[in-house]
Amino acid sequence: MEKISVCIPTYNRASHLRNCLHSITLNSFLDPDYTQICVSDNCSTDGTVDVVEQMKDKLKIKYAKNERNYGLAINILKVVEMADGEFIWLVGDDDLLLPCALGQIYEL
């Protein structure tokens, strides 16, 4: 089975990111050997880094904070560059994954 990197670009949306990451933890198929979470923070000034730190005990998260806000397009490129997976799933920080989502992706 190949590794999937779930890539999440974010900027000043800590509460949305918290919900997104929490929805990932509810997935019935969440194996850290096959699932990597990448978060690229576009120089947020809210509690984004705190949200990531709180979720690191539940998820294998690779986190990077940009030195400045580069805009959405470059932040997307940066989060994809962080990925180690064979496949990349780009997810918005305000998206919620259904509990069966990762399992269905692996089936494909």
Side-chain angles (χ1 to χ4, degrees), residues 8 10 13-21 39 48 51-52 93:
I8 309 168
T10 191
R13 291 162 55 103
S15 63
H16 293 293
L17 181 63
R18 178 182 292 109
N19 292 335
C20 178
L21 293 174
V39 176
T48 296
V51 167
V52 171
D93 59 7

Side-chain angles (χ1 to χ4, degrees), residues 5-6 8 21 24 35-39 59-63:
S5 295
V6 179
I8 309 168
L21 293 174
I24 295 170
T35 309
Q36 173 191 45
I37 312 301
C38 298
V39 176
L59 294 169
K60 184 177 181 179
I61 300 176
K62 191 175 195 179
Y63 173 78

Side-chain angles (χ1 to χ4, degrees), residues 1-8 20-38 55 58-61 85 87-91 95-108:
M1 186 177 321
E2 304 297 332
K3 183 187 276 188
I4 294 176
S5 295
V6 179
C7 295
I8 309 168
C20 178
L21 293 174
H22 179 70
S23 76
I24 295 170
T25 68
L26 301 176
N27 267 261
S28 55
F29 186 91
L30 182 62
D31 186 331
D33 291 333
Y34 299 106
T35 309
Q36 173 191 45
I37 312 301
C38 298
M55 296 302 290
K58 298 176 183 159
L59 294 169
K60 184 177 181 179
I61 300 176
F87 298 98
I88 293 171
W89 187 5
L90 187 63
V91 175
D95 291 342
L96 303 176
L97 275 61
L98 293 172
C100 59
L102 286 172
Q104 289 180 346
I105 294 292
Y106 282 111
E107 285 179 22
L108 293 174

